[in-house]
Amino acid sequence: MTVVLANLFKESPKDTIGKICYLLQGRVVPIYTPLEFGMADKMVIRGIAESLNIETNEVTKVFKQTGDLGITVENIKKTHMTSSGLVYKKLYILDVYDQLYRLAKKSGQGSQDEKITILA
């Protein structure tokens, strides 16, 4: 893990390292800043299903097998890329960070659906 992180930091622009550190902690701001994603597993599953254009019960089934939403997405994407010929665009750290920050800032009426859309 140390080698992987060292290589990530070495290859990353200096102005992104702070944001990378937050993401590694599952956050978008320092721990002392009260900003949370506010998404339960069921909401994340809906976002995954929406992004991959599949039913939520398919995501739930894989999630029950893996116990981890990240691994669930990885497994489903591998299956769908092979069977459907879909190609997924490359993600960049700052783009991911910006979307997750936007998601975390959403609140109020209708924010759950907006968060699911942003996640998707």
Side-chain angles (χ1 to χ4, degrees):
M1 182 62 77
T2 302
V3 172
V4 170
L5 289 174
N7 288 334
L8 173 64
F9 292 142
K10 192 183 325 176
E11 294 171 9
S12 299
K14 289 184 182 1
D15 62 338
T16 65
I17 295 198
K19 292 176 180 178
I20 292 169
C21 290
Y22 293 142
L23 291 173
L24 288 168
Q25 297 173 57
R27 302 189 54 81
V28 290
V29 293
I31 193 81
Y32 55 81
T33 302
L35 182 64
E36 301 293 332
F37 293 113
M39 292 188 75
D41 288 347
K42 286 187 178 189
M43 285 178 62
V44 175
I45 287 170
R46 284 178 53 200
I48 293 166
E50 186 176 313
S51 72
L52 299 173
N53 199 26
I54 60 175
E55 297 294 323
T56 56
N57 60 354
E58 187 176 342
V59 179
T60 301
K61 180 181 171 186
V62 177
F63 177 50
K64 285 181 180 178
Q65 293 169 349
T66 66
D68 182 275
L69 287 167
I71 295 169
T72 297
V73 172
E74 186 177 20
N75 289 348
I76 293 172
K77 283 179 75 171
K78 283 179 188 174
T79 303
H80 280 270
M81 286 178 73
T82 304
S83 65
S84 67
L86 290 174
V87 177
Y88 294 95
K89 70 177 186 176
K90 187 174 183 176
L91 296 175
Y92 295 93
I93 289 174
L94 286 180
D95 295 334
V96 170
Y97 175 88
D98 290 343
Q99 290 303 317
L100 290 174
Y101 184 82
R102 195 171 133 232
L103 181 151
K105 293 291 281 184
K106 290 287 179 191
S107 63
Q109 189 171 356
S111 65
Q112 284 190 345
D113 288 334
E114 291 181 50
K115 287 182 176 200
I116 290 167
T117 300
I118 292 168
L119 183 63

